[in-house]
Amino acid sequence: MIRKLFKVAGPEARGLLIARLVSLVVYSVLQGVSFVLVVPLLRALLGPDPDDAWPWTWALAGVALATAVAHYVQQMTGFRVALAVSHGLYHRLGDHVATLPLGWFSGEQVGRLGQLTTRAIPQIRALLAHLLRPLVTSVLTPLTVVVAMAFYDWRLALATAVGAPVMYLVYRWAVALTARTDEAVDTAAAAANERVVEYVRAQPVLRTAGGGARGRALLEQALDEQDATVRSQAARTAPGRTSFSAVVLLAVSAVIVVGAALGLHGDADVAELVALLVLVVRFAEPVSSMAELGGSLRGAVGALDRIDALLATRPLPEPSRPGPGPADSSLTLNEVTFGYDDADARVLDGVSLELPAHTTTAVVGPSGSGKTTLIRLLARFWDVDGGAVRLGGVDVRELTGEQLSDQVALVFQDVYLFDATIRENIAVGRPDADQAQIEEAARLAGVDEIVGRLPQGWETSVGEGGTSLSGGERQRVSLARALLKDAPVLLLDEATSALDPGSEAAVQQALDALGGRRTLVVVAHRLQTVVAADRIVFLDGGRITESGTHEELLAAGGRYADFWGERSRAEGWRLGAGASADAGA
């Protein structure tokens, strides 16, 4: 665990961690010495001349004072180191996450990252501030006692030391018992939390559909399962905790028996024996505290493992220094193949495509054909498995993250807005933009209509993730952000899917206005966007099956023509007076 702590904290925290360990070692040894000094003190008090106890009394008082000072120092050092290391970990995680592929940031990964920052780092902070002290003292203080006992009576020291391996083995067994049930408890807790959230969010559905009883039953079932799992864990781990406590008591009892036997046979000084047996009892105190540390230490070790796993995630390689930038905003895919790590099949297989600068390309195809993946490879969310993606003649892998970001703006179907005002969310794309530029981007994206009907206008807070706005309103703000960035390449993945017809028409006009001035790549199912493109690419099964203009592809009568027909029929579909009659016929 200590090695993992040094690894996770990083080289910049090495000095702080060493200082923390040194303070703990000094305190633990001084505490052990203070226990040991009880032996000569009691031996003098029980001897023929009690006045001989005064030097040992003063020695014990001095060591006790030093122990108190060491305790204060290690405690303050622990707080300072815990705060410094946790602060450094936040920065280290932030710096590392900034280098990871954008494709890494799935909902699951973001949730795990949130767990690390809200739970794992506080657990490490608690480890440094509170848990290391009993852990170190439970080892070093008894060790100091055993070593000192050897100078008084090696037989009692040996009897005491013999119990240590047994206690360690039982302790490991008890920890293993608990560890085996931890995953089940965590799973049950997660399921119960999910059911609680689901029950709250689904209230409109449950009430209108009359499914309130069913919803409560599912919630109660999840809570009952969580309760049963916790009870099962308590039952399974109780033998381990009880066994460890019993072994500590048996070890102490065994030493007392050995001491009593030595005293009865006259092989040991009675006064010294009494003092040593008192020392044995003191030996058991820090060892017994280990039983209380198991769960907390397991949580801290798990936190270290999770942070270490994240820090071990390989970032996207970048050139050490910026090279020549793209010559223009053209995009080229050359025999690109790509598949996700958790899937055997390739999502894109041998895709070659040339997109001249300042043209508009629409990418269409059935669900799962690789459209979104293609868009994200253009922005280097991941690196391709084979082939190359080039921007302005330069392989995107030869561009720094800043160089690529300056050239590309993205708008996706799933939009995230910061908990800030509408103005601030748009300005994220270009922090130095003035109000006139922000308003122009907002006008093109149809955000001016939103601002005009909100009481606080530009200063309206959108809430965390943009929750105070509708899906279409969030998309318009996101599009305005991308337009304000004014990057040479604009990538849109179903960016108009949540817009009403009026807003979609306004956005389409904005895209038409950008035609000839930007390189646009649009994944869209809306027919107007598709028809207006300079080129249409049809993806199917990870391959480009057709490519051309709208008229050319319709004339070819292939998959695109079928796609167009299906979409045309879907957009022309209406509920009419004869619908019910037709349905009943």
Side-chain angles (χ1 to χ4, degrees):
M1 183 186 70
I2 299 299
R3 286 196 298 270
K4 182 64 67 69
L5 182 60
F6 272 86
K7 179 182 178 183
V8 166
E12 62 276 5
R14 184 177 181 83
L16 293 172
L17 293 175
I18 290 175
R20 174 61 172 147
L21 292 176
V22 168
S23 68
L24 285 172
V25 169
V26 171
Y27 167 69
S28 301
V29 171
L30 284 174
Q31 182 175 247
V33 171
S34 66
F35 290 168
V36 170
L37 287 176
V38 173
V39 175
L41 176 61
L42 287 179
R43 184 174 57 184
L45 286 173
L46 298 175
D49 188 0
D51 289 337
D52 292 342
W54 281 110
W56 295 112
T57 301
W58 290 114
L60 179 58
V63 173
L65 178 61
T67 303
V69 172
H71 180 271
Y72 175 80
V73 170
Q74 67 82 23
Q75 192 170 37
M76 297 308 296
T77 301
F79 290 140
R80 287 195 297 269
V81 171
L83 290 175
V85 169
S86 62
H87 183 73
L89 273 176
Y90 282 119
H91 282 276
R92 194 172 185 213
L93 284 176
D95 292 342
H96 182 69
V97 165
T99 68
L100 295 180
L102 291 175
W104 180 88
F105 294 90
S106 63
E108 180 183 0
Q109 295 289 16
V110 171
R112 290 179 179 176
L113 182 59
Q115 289 285 335
L116 290 182
T117 56
T118 59
R119 293 184 60 185
I121 292 182
Q123 284 177 314
I124 294 174
R125 185 163 58 238
L127 171 67
L128 289 168
H130 306 292
L131 299 179
L132 272 184
R133 181 190 62 78
L135 177 63
V136 173
T137 55
S138 65
V139 175
L140 290 184
T141 298
L143 182 61
T144 303
V145 169
V146 171
V147 171
M149 285 178 65
F151 289 96
Y152 291 102
D153 194 309
W154 65 269
R155 295 162 297 184
L156 285 179
L158 180 61
T160 305
V162 165
V166 179
M167 286 185 284
Y168 174 77
L169 292 175
V170 174
Y171 176 76
R172 295 289 297 179
W173 172 66
V175 169
L177 279 179
T178 307
R180 281 196 290 270
T181 62
D182 278 348
E183 184 176 353
V185 171
D186 291 342
T187 301
N193 291 338
E194 184 178 351
R195 285 297 185 189
V196 170
V197 174
E198 179 186 62
Y199 183 72
V200 173
R201 288 181 175 176
Q203 280 302 304
V205 176
L206 292 173
R207 295 187 186 189
T208 56
R214 174 60 177 166
R216 284 193 301 274
L218 292 173
L219 175 60
E220 290 171 359
Q221 179 183 354
L223 293 174
D224 289 342
E225 289 176 356
Q226 180 187 19
D227 184 55
T229 304
V230 172
R231 288 200 306 269
S232 175
Q233 183 193 42
R236 292 182 181 183
T237 58
R241 296 195 303 270
T242 304
S243 298
F244 181 74
S245 300
V247 167
V248 173
L249 292 176
L250 287 173
V252 172
S253 301
V255 175
I256 292 175
V257 169
V258 171
L262 292 174
L264 290 174
H265 289 84
D267 294 334
D269 180 75
V270 175
E272 184 175 282
L273 184 60
V274 170
L276 287 172
L277 293 179
V278 170
L279 188 60
V280 169
V281 174
R282 296 294 293 167
F283 162 89
E285 180 181 341
V287 175
S288 299
S289 67
M290 290 184 67
E292 307 300 324
L293 294 177
S296 299
L297 284 176
R298 249 186 356 269
V301 170
L304 288 171
D305 289 338
R306 292 191 296 274
I307 292 178
D308 184 50
L310 175 57
L311 293 175
T313 304
R314 293 178 59 186
L316 279 177
E318 286 192 11
S320 57
R321 50 186 171 183
D328 53 34
S329 60
S330 64
L331 293 166
T332 304
L333 291 88
N334 182 25
E335 290 296 323
V336 167
T337 59
F338 178 78
Y340 295 101
D341 292 337
D342 56 353
D344 295 331
R346 290 177 174 177
V347 180
L348 295 178
D349 188 8
V351 172
S352 294
L353 185 63
E354 292 188 7
L355 308 177
H358 307 150
T359 60
T360 299
T361 302
V363 182
V364 298
S367 297
S369 59
K371 301 184 299 295
T372 295
T373 300
L374 186 148
I375 286 281
R376 296 188 175 187
L377 288 177
L378 291 174
R380 206 192 175 197
F381 274 40
W382 299 275
D383 277 338
V384 297
D385 297 333
V389 175
R390 293 185 173 87
L391 171 60
V394 180
D395 194 315
V396 293
R397 290 170 291 195
E398 298 174 4
L399 298 172
T400 65
E402 185 175 356
Q403 283 179 308
L404 185 59
S405 177
D406 289 342
Q407 298 293 316
V408 178
L410 305 96
V411 182
F412 292 112
Q413 185 174 6
D414 297 325
V415 175
Y416 184 89
L417 301 182
F418 297 100
D419 189 4
T421 65
I422 292 178
R423 181 202 313 274
E424 291 168 333
N425 269 284
I426 295 176
V428 167
R430 188 174 162 193
D432 60 344
D434 57 31
Q435 183 61 24
Q437 292 168 322
I438 293 174
E439 290 182 0
E440 176 61 15
R443 183 189 65 79
L444 290 172
V447 178
D448 54 343
E449 181 271 329
I450 302 172
V451 172
R453 59 181 163 79
L454 292 174
Q456 293 177 292
W458 288 103
E459 303 309 315
T460 301
S461 177
V462 303
E464 183 179 359
T467 53
S468 65
L469 301 180
S470 69
E473 290 170 339
R474 288 196 297 271
Q475 275 195 331
R476 279 188 270 177
V477 172
S478 177
L479 180 59
R481 176 193 296 169
L483 295 175
L484 180 65
K485 185 178 179 181
D486 202 25
V489 176
L490 180 59
L491 309 176
L492 301 101
D493 184 7
E494 290 289 0
T496 60
S497 61
L499 299 182
D500 57 82
S503 297
E504 183 186 0
V507 170
Q508 187 60 51
Q509 290 178 1
L511 296 180
D512 292 342
L514 292 175
R517 296 190 294 134
R518 298 285 185 274
T519 301
L520 302 180
V521 183
V522 184
V523 172
H525 291 154
R526 299 294 182 95
L527 302 181
Q528 187 177 359
T529 304
V530 172
V531 172
D534 299 316
R535 185 182 187 185
I536 300 170
V537 174
F538 195 90
L539 269 180
D540 190 13
R543 293 176 176 271
I544 296 177
T545 58
E546 292 181 282
S547 176
T549 65
H550 173 67
E551 291 76 13
E552 291 171 346
L553 295 180
L554 280 184
R559 292 295 308 281
Y560 176 77
D562 295 338
F563 168 86
W564 173 262
E566 291 172 2
R567 293 291 167 176
S568 298
R569 287 191 294 273
E571 290 202 354
W573 185 83
R574 295 289 187 275
L575 275 175
S580 58
D582 293 340

